Amino acid sequence: MIKYLVVLLWPVAAAAHPAASQAADYPASMFGIRSDGVTLNTRSIQYAVDYIHDKGGGKLVFDVGRYLTGSIHLRSGVGLELKEGAVLLGSLNPFDYDKDGFTALLLADSVRDISISGRGVIDGQGRAVAAAIVGLARSGVIHDPLQHDRPNEANRPMLIYFRHCSEVALKDITLANAASWVETYDQCSGLTIDSIRVDSKAYWNNDGMDVVDCSQVKITGCTIDAADDGICLKSHDPAAACTDVLIRDCTIRSSANAIKFGTVSRGGFRKIRILHNRVYNTYRSALALEAVDGAVIQDVLADSLTAVNTGNALFVRIGARSGSRESKIAGVTIRHFSIEIAAAKADSGYPYEGPIEDQPRNISPMVLTGLPGALLQDIRLEDVTVRYPGGGNAFIASRGLTDSVPELPANYPEFSMFRELPAWGLYFRHARGIQVKNLRLFCAARDYRTAIVLDDVEGGTWEGTVVKEPGNKKVFFLKGSSGVGMK
């Protein structure tokens, strides 16, 4: 009878030990990882990640507590799960972070099937880390030019830097207080980011999310509050592109742009869907599409975006900043937008505001401009409503209605780059084959400018426009434009 009981109970005892059963979940405590917020756990966490990988994969689970660490390298088949109340805490010592081009708390290179999940927090303690780097740079221990009295982005650790990875998933986690860009995914495929929260206003360059030349990307249900661009698609490789990207049901606040393509734009952006997103208290553009380094932007649909208190609704720009080929933007549809432009500086009161010198004196809510010989093509605006406080003052104006606007092909692209434009509502320049339907522009206070200016626009259709402003001035001003059928 005793022998029978031993046989019966043996599987139960083994199941309680992950190493014996190769269970999917491994508690951090199993590896001696301390949750006191003081013990540096870098080596023990890395050992756990390597161990789980060698055992065929699984999740390293962190229970309630504060886990101090430097850089961790994820390996294929390994996930990190932070339960509610668990905090993965970045070390304050800059030398606890590994660097390979860029530096980060969590690193992965050329691995697959990795994940970060749970309702816990990854906190980079970025402001203190950046201050430590400044001190080391001033003492000559590390080399950094300290431009604008801040360390170079490459010297400051991100929270996440994954490159050349496939099947990457983030869910529910909170990312907070990075010293640089919060999370960067570089030439990854099969990237799913769902219902995460980014709260990163700790320092400069706190982009909420950078997606670089990635494919098959889904970003859904995220909340982002960042001291730089919110969701930023980039293209570093002229032979690569961001392709098949979905951004849906996200809420974004930014001291720069909410959703942006670029600024680095060498390859391209294709088959991008931006659906049902919300923007608030954003200093620059709710949506910015920028091809300035030879990129091709095509097959883009942005549908159902609502923005309140933003500096600019829409900025679309072809430039010639760098690269050996001509940039191109074609096949872009913007529809069902409802935008309220800020009456004052939209990010006032945040720790790292957008620079006051970049604030135009008289704002133009929508700016779409190519270059001579590099025209915007097949741009469609449909059911777009913009409410602008108005009050543009001719006495402080830097440019009148008939004055030429500089091209500035090599300048850094932002809606404020021209300082001031001759339209208070929509400025369209160097474009061909545009389609505008059911555009509604509302100006609360009289503005000295006209509502819409078309400058070097060839062909297209324009119907159903409603413009309301005090004084009922002429709505359109056409300069060097032809073939636009207006109804």
Side-chain angles (χ1 to χ4, degrees), residues 219-461:
I219 303 167
T220 55
C222 298
T223 300
I224 296 173
D225 188 357
D228 210 318
D229 298 322
I231 297 176
C232 192
L233 306 187
K234 297 183 178 181
S235 181
H236 290 176
D237 187 343
C242 283
T243 59
D244 193 11
V245 177
L246 171 67
I247 303 170
R248 187 184 67 208
D249 294 323
C250 295
T251 300
I252 305 163
R253 176 263 149 199
S254 166
S255 282
N257 302 279
I259 301 173
K260 173 181 171 180
F261 294 20
T263 296
V264 183
S265 51
R266 297 192 179 103
F269 309 88
R270 299 192 296 270
K271 195 180 178 184
I272 315 294
R273 301 294 178 261
I274 304 167
L275 310 175
H276 301 283
N277 297 287
R278 295 159 298 281
V279 174
Y280 71 101
N281 294 5
T282 288
Y283 174 63
R284 297 193 189 275
S285 303
L287 176 63
L289 311 181
E290 302 168 358
V292 297
D293 302 310
V296 175
I297 298 179
Q298 61 184 20
D299 189 11
V300 176
L301 170 63
D303 192 325
S304 302
L305 185 146
T306 301
V308 294
N309 199 42
T310 186
N312 172 258
L314 176 64
F315 179 63
V316 180
R317 169 67 169 167
I318 293 177
R321 188 179 67 157
S322 67
S324 59
R325 64 183 182 187
E326 184 180 275
S327 299
K328 179 180 178 181
I329 300 179
V332 174
T333 297
I334 310 290
R335 67 188 185 201
H336 305 139
F337 271 34
S338 178
I339 313 290
E340 295 183 11
I341 302 299
K345 196 167 184 292
D347 63 342
S348 293
Y350 287 91
Y352 291 91
E353 295 183 13
I356 191 67
E357 62 269 20
D358 286 355
Q359 187 79 4
R361 290 179 293 183
N362 295 311
I363 291 173
S364 295
M366 290 191 287
V367 182
L368 300 91
T369 176
L371 290 173
L375 305 181
L376 300 172
Q377 299 180 47
D378 302 320
I379 309 297
R380 181 182 180 90
L381 304 180
E382 181 177 347
D383 291 324
V384 172
T385 300
V386 175
R387 299 181 185 278
Y388 170 56
N393 189 337
F395 290 103
I396 63 169
S398 61
R399 187 169 293 118
L401 185 61
T402 59
D403 292 336
S404 62
V405 177
E407 299 292 349
L408 306 177
N411 281 35
Y412 189 92
E414 296 286 9
F415 87 93
S416 57
M417 65 187 294
F418 303 107
R419 302 301 299 164
E420 185 174 76
L421 292 167
W424 68 254
L426 170 61
Y427 180 73
F428 230 134
R429 180 170 66 162
H430 304 315
R432 179 171 59 213
I434 66 172
Q435 300 177 62
V436 180
K437 183 178 181 181
N438 297 336
L439 172 66
R440 294 172 289 273
L441 302 176
F442 300 93
C443 185
R446 183 179 175 86
D447 197 288
Y448 77 97
R449 299 166 293 175
T450 194
I452 301 167
V453 172
L454 305 184
D455 185 350
D456 185 27
V457 175
E458 302 174 7
T461 61

Side-chain angles (χ1 to χ4, degrees), residues 39-55:
T39 304
L40 188 65
N41 290 293
T42 310
R43 293 187 66 178
S44 53
I45 294 175
Q46 189 63 61
Y47 180 88
V49 168
D50 296 344
Y51 178 93
I52 295 169
H53 166 77
D54 292 342
K55 291 296 182 180

Side-chain angles (χ1 to χ4, degrees), residues 456-472:
D456 185 27
V457 175
E458 302 174 7
T461 61
W462 200 296
E463 60 179 300
T465 300
V466 174
V467 174
K468 292 187 178 180
E469 68 162 315
N472 296 317

Side-chain angles (χ1 to χ4, degrees), residues 5-21:
L5 286 173
V6 170
V7 172
L8 180 65
L9 293 174
W10 172 249
V12 176
H17 194 285
S21 65

